[in-house]
Amino acid sequence: LRVGVIGLGLIGGSVALAARERLGAHVTGFDASPEARERALARGAVDAIAPDVAGAVADADVVWVATPVGALPAAVAASLDAAGSATVVTDVGSTKRRIVAAVEDQRFVGGHPLAGAETAGIDNARADLFAGATWYLTPTERTSGILFERLHRAIVGLGAQPAAIDAAQHDAVLAAVSHLPHVVANVLVSGAAQALAAEDVRVPAAGPSFRDATRVAGASNAIWRDIYLANADALIDRIDDAIARLRDVRVALAAADGDRIAAWNDAAAGDRRALLEAQLAGGELHELRVSVPNEPGVIARIALALGRAGVNITDMALYPTADATSGLVALWIAGAEPAARAQELLGELGHPVARA
Amino acid sequence: LRVGVIGLGLIGGSVALAARERLGAHVTGFDASPEARERALARGAVDAIAPDVAGAVADADVVWVATPVGALPAAVAASLDAAGSATVVTDVGSTKRRIVAAVEDQRFVGGHPLAGAETAGIDNARADLFAGATWYLTPTERTSGILFERLHRAIVGLGAQPAAIDAAQHDAVLAAVSHLPHVVANVLVSGAAQALAAEDVRVPAAGPSFRDATRVAGASNAIWRDIYLANADALIDRIDDAIARLRDVRVALAAADGDRIAAWNDAAAGDRRALLEAQLAGGELHELRVSVPNEPGVIARIALALGRAGVNITDMALYPTADATSGLVALWIAGAEPAARAQELLGELGHPVARA
């Protein structure tokens, strides 16, 4: 496997290291910063450094574009310009609607690994950064099934768990589970600083709830300024929801309504339990063999339908028939219940399914 | 040392274990629940179980009342009724204004250890629960200096760091660094559950920022219902502040104002750094010897003045003169800079200070 990596920071550097160590790939890298290029070579993250994007992409089977969100559109366009017709190009940006809407190319699949929030830079890169992490992929009707499958397998090879999701849903979900928590961490830390100053108190040590809730406060502007701007509308929806919920608690507190406070707190406990349970699905692997026609978008539809239902595709393989009019997709699903659910969903999509 | 503990849950049980193991104290306990009494004996947390509050308090030098916040006023009153004139009685409630205002007794000192938020019950109690933890004390003008000093030393003996603070300031600070983070955790988890349901997505795994920010969501109503109600006004102030800050971010997002977003995020980074630095003060111990007149409230005033300035009293000893008209207070302060600051503040209070 030949891999190109554009942008050799924490994520790009970790992709490069993992591709070399875990996939045995030949990795060519490029970064606009001479220092990052030098460090990537010195760390053994890449086999070679190219003088530009085109050089890193030229012979690659898979290209990861791992620049900050603001620089993505240009870097993805340059990569697709230089890449061959059988190259899959993906990105690692934290928001997906803009880039997916901007790129009309069957070779492009949006991506976003949930890893690496705490540090930055090539020096913190490591081959196991993605071990066990969810890696969102946002295929569309345009996406080539063959290229999607290749990317999916490569990401499994990096140690991550790919999950297909619609780009708009991705951004709405991430606004709720990542971008709003970052905003709230900033609000808590600045509110507490102001409260302590107003009370003329230097607090000797805050409790664990404050430390946990504010760990990501003031996250790097090099990354987060662009994320906030790129997902502003979805984030505004979640901020409005949070304000409405805070107002509800305020009303109950002002009325000293203990029953309502308790019910509100119980509901949160139930929501937390439900979210945790949804994340803990797992179990032994089941193989499903799905017959599919050779038509655009069919792999994306399958992946998205299963992703939407929370069914995790642990691994995936595509076997075209000799005449290329149709093919067989093998899917490995963890857990008996998710596998049964997958079989049902695939049936609803009109695809014959066999259990291997 | 003879210790009485009323309420043998996580905190009371841990105080009892630590008092036996670390202070070599004789501990008598009481709990309204027969099961908790039995478990406390079986775990060796107490030397003896009393049949009622009066029995646990009768011969004690120090009494900890560790019931839930709602049951505190009655349990503290019963303890003071049964305790001798040389017994110090303290509580461990998470809010302090109500109980301090309700109890007009020189033998009572409000207390609140910042520990043990994640679990509950005597079975989770442990002798090192308070090791290194901040333990707020809220002495008033009424508080006996001799009894405050005894309690302060006992808490140092449990492994904690006592910090004196005015009860109203305590509640305002805790609203900002504990109660609001709990409210916000509930808001985040219920908002995310609703967003995922609306998008018809089961998220395979949330990112680390969400896990951290929602760890305390849906905390036990047995404890938190009363905390929210007892500190409702201070918490409402912080909720209003949070709503105003969320609105400010919303305006910047709606205007796609990247510079304002970046400045807001930088300010949060600065606030976080300042809060962390304030918590990391430490260093070698310095001993200050302070001459004080024997009059009510003097120890409380000293402890509060240092607590307000963020100066941590690592240990404390009181030496009355033979005629009891005045005395010497020895204070141990960690770090050269805080010790110098303490000397300055004590001078401002009109007390002669010598460095030992």
Side-chain angles (χ1 to χ4, degrees):
Chain A
L1 192 75
R2 297 185 67 89
V3 165
V5 178
I6 311 302
L8 296 163
L10 173 68
I11 302 294
S14 296
V15 167
L17 280 167
R20 292 193 72 207
E21 286 184 23
R22 302 172 78 121
L23 295 173
H26 181 275
V27 177
T28 307
F30 173 74
D31 194 291
S33 146
E35 198 191 332
R37 295 200 293 265
E38 198 174 297
R39 291 291 307 139
L41 260 182
R43 288 211 51 191
V46 296
D47 295 283
I49 288 288
D52 50 26
V53 170
V57 165
D59 300 317
D61 302 302
V62 183
V63 172
W64 270 277
V65 182
T67 66
V69 166
L72 274 179
V76 167
S79 297
L80 288 166
D81 280 349
S85 62
T87 303
V88 60
V89 175
T90 187
D91 75 317
V92 299
S94 300
T95 67
K96 298 266 62 84
R97 278 172 301 167
R98 279 197 189 177
I99 188 75
V100 168
V103 180
E104 296 260 1
D105 195 305
Q106 63 149 6
R107 297 168 299 163
F108 178 72
V109 184
H112 175 212
L114 294 188
E118 290 80 11
T119 57
I122 179 77
D123 289 326
N124 290 305
R126 43 183 232 267
D128 65 351
L129 185 68
F130 310 111
T134 296
W135 192 311
Y136 284 117
L137 293 175
T138 60
T140 70
E141 285 290 323
R142 293 187 299 272
T143 308
S144 152
I146 290 168
L147 294 181
F148 177 77
E149 182 248 359
R150 184 191 299 158
L151 177 62
H152 192 284
R153 286 167 66 95
I155 285 172
V156 169
L158 298 183
Q161 299 183 335
I165 189 169
D166 172 78
Q169 289 183 322
H170 170 276
D171 287 2
V173 167
L174 267 286
V177 303
S178 171
H179 310 161
L180 180 62
H182 277 77
V183 166
V184 160
N186 283 6
V187 165
L188 287 175
V189 83
S190 292
Q194 182 242 318
L196 294 174
E199 297 291 339
D200 194 20
V201 169
R202 275 177 61 186
V203 71
S209 63
F210 188 75
R211 275 201 309 276
D212 281 348
T214 58
R215 194 159 287 135
V216 296
S220 162
N221 265 325
I223 297 171
W224 280 90
R225 182 184 185 281
D226 289 340
I227 292 176
Y228 289 134
L229 290 174
N231 206 25
D233 55 347
L235 181 51
I236 283 174
D237 284 349
R238 300 323 306 164
I239 288 175
D240 288 344
D241 177 77
I243 289 175
R245 289 175 191 275
L246 286 171
R247 283 222 190 89
D248 283 348
V249 191
R250 191 195 192 289
V251 168
L253 287 169
D257 188 340
D259 290 347
R260 191 162 156 192
I261 294 281
W264 161 79
N265 197 40
D266 275 340
D271 287 334
R272 176 161 191 264
R273 206 163 38 240
L275 288 174
L276 282 177
E277 281 168 4
Q279 289 166 25
L280 291 176
E284 58 178 324
L285 286 187
H286 296 257
E287 183 181 345
L288 302 184
R289 292 168 173 268
V290 192
S291 302
V292 294
N294 183 3
E295 60 182 38
V298 65
I299 299 292
R301 276 196 299 277
I302 288 175
L304 287 171
L306 299 191
R308 198 153 45 227
V311 174
N312 212 7
I313 304 175
T314 305
D315 208 350
M316 178 179 204
L318 190 60
Y319 308 103
T321 52
D323 65 0
T325 57
S326 66
L328 192 76
V329 185
L331 301 173
W332 287 268
I333 313 283
E337 200 242 314
R341 179 93 184 98
Q343 190 163 3
E344 187 187 320
L345 289 164
L346 291 162
E348 287 170 15
L349 288 173
H351 305 305
V353 186
R355 302 287 286 257
Chain B
L1 194 73
R2 297 185 68 86
V3 165
V5 178
I6 311 301
L8 297 164
L10 173 68
I11 302 294
S14 296
V15 167
L17 280 167
R20 292 194 72 207
E21 286 186 23
R22 302 171 78 121
L23 296 173
H26 181 276
V27 178
T28 307
F30 173 74
D31 195 292
S33 148
E35 198 190 333
R37 294 200 293 265
E38 197 174 301
R39 290 292 306 140
L41 260 181
R43 288 209 53 191
V46 295
D47 294 284
I49 287 288
D52 51 26
V53 170
V57 165
D59 300 318
D61 302 301
V62 183
V63 172
W64 270 278
V65 182
T67 65
V69 166
L72 274 179
V76 168
S79 297
L80 287 166
D81 280 349
S85 62
T87 303
V88 59
V89 175
T90 187
D91 74 316
V92 298
S94 300
T95 67
K96 298 266 63 79
R97 278 172 302 167
R98 280 197 188 177
I99 188 74
V100 168
V103 181
E104 295 261 3
D105 195 304
Q106 62 149 5
R107 298 168 298 163
F108 178 72
V109 185
H112 175 212
L114 294 188
E118 291 80 10
T119 58
I122 179 76
D123 289 325
N124 290 305
R126 42 182 232 268
D128 66 350
L129 186 68
F130 310 111
T134 296
W135 193 309
Y136 284 117
L137 293 175
T138 60
T140 70
E141 286 289 323
R142 294 188 298 273
T143 307
S144 152
I146 290 167
L147 295 181
F148 177 76
E149 183 247 1
R150 184 191 298 157
L151 178 63
H152 192 284
R153 286 166 65 95
I155 285 171
V156 169
L158 298 183
Q161 299 183 336
I165 189 169
D166 172 77
Q169 289 183 323
H170 170 278
D171 287 1
V173 167
L174 267 286
V177 303
S178 172
H179 309 163
L180 181 63
H182 277 78
V183 167
V184 159
N186 283 6
V187 165
L188 287 175
V189 85
S190 292
Q194 182 241 321
L196 294 173
E199 296 291 340
D200 193 21
V201 170
R202 276 176 61 185
V203 72
S209 62
F210 187 75
R211 275 200 309 275
D212 282 348
T214 58
R215 193 160 287 133
V216 296
S220 162
N221 265 325
I223 295 171
W224 279 90
R225 183 184 184 281
D226 289 340
I227 293 176
Y228 289 135
L229 290 174
N231 206 27
D233 55 346
L235 181 51
I236 283 174
D237 284 349
R238 300 323 306 167
I239 289 175
D240 288 344
D241 177 79
I243 289 175
R245 288 174 192 276
L246 287 170
R247 282 221 192 90
D248 283 349
V249 190
R250 191 196 193 286
V251 168
L253 287 169
D257 187 341
D259 290 346
R260 192 162 156 192
I261 293 281
W264 160 79
N265 196 39
D266 274 341
D271 288 332
R272 176 161 192 264
R273 203 162 41 239
L275 288 174
L276 282 177
E277 281 168 5
Q279 288 166 24
L280 290 176
E284 58 177 325
L285 285 188
H286 295 257
E287 183 181 344
L288 303 183
R289 291 170 174 267
V290 192
S291 302
V292 293
N294 184 3
E295 59 182 40
V298 65
I299 299 293
R301 276 197 297 277
I302 289 175
L304 288 171
L306 300 191
R308 198 153 46 228
V311 174
N312 213 8
I313 303 175
T314 304
D315 208 349
M316 177 180 206
L318 189 60
Y319 308 103
T321 52
D323 65 359
T325 57
S326 66
L328 193 75
V329 186
L331 301 174
W332 286 269
I333 313 282
E337 199 242 312
R341 179 94 183 96
Q343 189 163 2
E344 188 186 320
L345 289 164
L346 291 162
E348 287 171 15
L349 288 173
H351 305 305
V353 185
R355 302 287 286 255

